[in-house]
Amino acid sequence: MARSRPGALADSLLVLLFLVASAAAAAAPGGGLVGVDGTQFVVGGGKTVYFSGFNAYWLMLVASDPPRRGQVVAAFRQAAGHGLNLARTWAFSDGGDTPLQSAPGVYDEAMLQGLDFVIAEARRHGIYLLLCLTNNFHDFGGKRQYVAWAREAGHHLATADDFFNSTVVKGYYKNHVKTVLTRVNTVTGVAYRDDPTILGWELMNEPRCEADPTGAMVQAWVEEMAPYVKSIDGDHLVTAGLEGFYGDGVHESKDLNPWGIYYGTNFVETHRAHGVDFATIHLYPDVWLWGSGAAAQLAFFRNWTRSHARDTELYLGKPLLVTEYGKFLWDGVANRTQRDRFLGQVLDSIYASAAAGGPLVGGAFWQLLDPGMDTLRDGYEIILPEDQRAATIIGNHSRQLAELNGQDVEVVRRRRRWRRGAHRKVHINFFAVQSSSV
Ligand SMILES: *[C@@H]1O[C@H](CO)[C@@H](O)[C@H](O)[C@H]1NC(C)=O
Ligand SMILES: *[C@@H]1O[C@H](CO)[C@@H](O)[C@H](O)[C@H]1NC(C)=O
Ligand SMILES: *[C@@H]1O[C@H](CO)[C@@H](O)[C@H](O)[C@H]1NC(C)=O
Ligand SMILES: *[C@@H]1O[C@H](CO)[C@@H](O)[C@H](O)[C@H]1NC(C)=O
């Protein structure tokens, strides 16, 4: 491009500015920066937008290697071709062999340019991005790497969960947030914090905390970090990255947790934190209830989605996304037929909620791969060009959901109130019938 030939720069500057400006105006997915109005996501001053999404944690990593960028483009092209309008991906790689951040505050420019490319391509394909800022688990670094850095600097920290309360580590994390959010994209010229392609920021992938099972430690961390993100980028949405595990609070339903145990988070209380704009759950009934039968997993799936949608509507009044769900393909345990059934069930429950004006307004399956990425297969992969049935289920869902876009949010809200009023009456009648029959 002209950028590499300084002589041509002056000539093409106006053209370039025009292109950048019109790209920003025309190609921002779905009509611009996404906001929240009650339990709905909105764009363009109060029109609903729903998310048919996918996870592809690998986008920045692959894009950091220019010869492999074609795979990123192909993935976005296939996704857009199936109506997908949201990608959830990693905006972190802490330490390790392929670091974005190799040491606190030290960044790899090739990785940053990979992320630039991903954002530019997402915009070009009309796909919003949910960018996650670190990991609870040690894949790509995460809290353990942050704590290791602090130890190397001479601080005495006990466990990886000190990530959530060490002043030093919180400083490292905030610096990462600031670095990413203020980055100016080398492809589009737009600062990340100004880019409407980004749906929002996720503080951490799947925060959990053994050091404090009550959830208070994660709670305090989210209460500090969500406003911190807002202080740098007041426009984009923020979420914590939770899987939906309940704690002990008054509105929590710990009995529904897999095995009924603690994971160190509170679904309701933490999503109430100042600066948290929407709620998330993940959904892996097969691995969460390993060894249980299909009926138990189905019952869990139904309870989990129903309970979180209800709590989100009653106690949060914010939108809810299923930011990860999947079924592990394993010889003798689960085949594609069963996986596709699960896919259909999750997507149907999202559509049913969205169509009824409910708070569950989108999701993202784990995970999308491009053909020829065999080393990244993890048993959950969906390769659209090679998987006709899954591709049809996903494409149909995207189309259905997209038909709900663009409604006036106030109309949706009124209809919802009316429906819930009607529903309560039915419920009362139902109990009346039940009690009269006992
Ligand atoms: C952080 O929490 C851990 C575990 O509860 C505790 O041992 C440690 O003292 C706390 N650190 C700070 C700085 O509060
Ligand atoms: C689902 O919820 C019902 C009652 O709401 C409960 O009896 C049942 O045990 C729950 N099942 C699972 C798998 O959580
Ligand atoms: C998938 O597994 C189910 C349950 O074991 C079985 O009934 C079905 O025939 C299998 N389908 C295929 C295509 O292998
Ligand atoms: C997808 O939608 C088409 C057209 O509406 C329909 O004929 C087909 O049965 C659907 N397939 C699935 C798997 O939902």
Side-chain angles (χ1 to χ4, degrees), residues 91 105 107 109 112 115-116 119 131 133 173-186 188-195 198 201 228-234 236:
Y107 284 82
E109 183 57 24
L112 282 168
L115 193 52
D116 292 346
I119 295 171
L131 295 176
L133 293 162
Y173 175 81
K174 285 179 179 174
N175 184 62
H176 177 64
V177 168
K178 190 172 191 172
T179 304
V180 173
L181 274 57
T182 57
R183 164 85 176 171
V184 177
N185 192 313
T186 53
T188 63
V190 179
Y192 288 10
R193 62 177 162 187
D194 297 327
D195 195 329
I198 296 167
W201 305 106
Y228 179 74
V229 172
K230 294 284 187 180
S231 75
I232 294 170
D233 173 358
H236 282 113

Side-chain angles (χ1 to χ4, degrees), residues 5 56 107 135-136 179 232 277 291-292 334 336-337 344 367 419:
R5 293 182 292 114
Y107 284 82
N135 205 351
N136 180 70
T179 304
I232 294 170
D277 297 295
S292 63
R336 280 192 188 185
T337 310
Q367 63 155 335
R419 282 181 77 116

Side-chain angles (χ1 to χ4, degrees), residues 331-364:
D331 281 348
V333 178
N335 56 37
R336 280 192 188 185
T337 310
Q338 293 158 304
R339 195 274 316 275
D340 292 342
R341 193 178 308 136
F342 177 67
L343 195 61
Q345 284 162 347
V346 175
L347 295 178
D348 286 349
S349 71
I350 293 170
Y351 180 75
S353 170
L360 177 54
V361 288

Side-chain angles (χ1 to χ4, degrees), residues 36-153:
V36 158
D37 188 333
T39 59
Q40 306 293 305
F41 289 109
V42 291
V43 287
K47 301 293 181 197
T48 56
V49 58
Y50 300 87
F51 293 108
S52 179
F54 63 99
N55 279 273
Y57 69 86
W58 46 269
L59 288 167
M60 170 181 70
L61 182 65
V62 171
S64 70
D65 182 16
R68 292 170 72 198
R69 284 185 175 172
Q71 288 183 317
V72 171
V73 178
F76 278 129
R77 193 188 309 122
Q78 290 151 21
H82 290 83
L84 291 160
N85 65 345
L86 174 68
R88 175 172 176 266
T89 194
W90 293 174
F92 67 89
S93 181
D94 320 310
D97 297 336
T98 53
L100 167 63
Q101 186 179 197
S102 54
V106 181
Y107 284 82
D108 182 282
E109 183 57 24
M111 287 287 264
L112 282 168
Q113 289 189 15
L115 193 52
D116 292 346
F117 183 81
V118 168
I119 295 171
E121 284 302 305
R123 170 188 292 226
R124 206 163 66 80
H125 288 90
I127 293 175
Y128 283 103
L129 291 172
L130 178 56
L131 295 176
C132 184
L133 293 162
T134 192
N135 205 351
N136 180 70
F137 302 102
H138 50 259
D139 310 86
F140 299 97
K143 69 185 180 189
R144 199 162 77 175
Q145 177 63 68
Y146 272 91
V147 166
W149 282 330
R151 285 191 182 129
E152 283 159 24

Side-chain angles (χ1 to χ4, degrees), residues 362-384:
F365 64 83
W366 184 277
Q367 63 155 335
L368 181 130
L369 287 187
D370 186 47
M373 303 182 81
D374 287 347
T375 56
L376 296 183
R377 286 176 184 260
D378 62 357
Y380 292 95
E381 67 278 354
I382 294 179
I383 300 171
L384 293 169

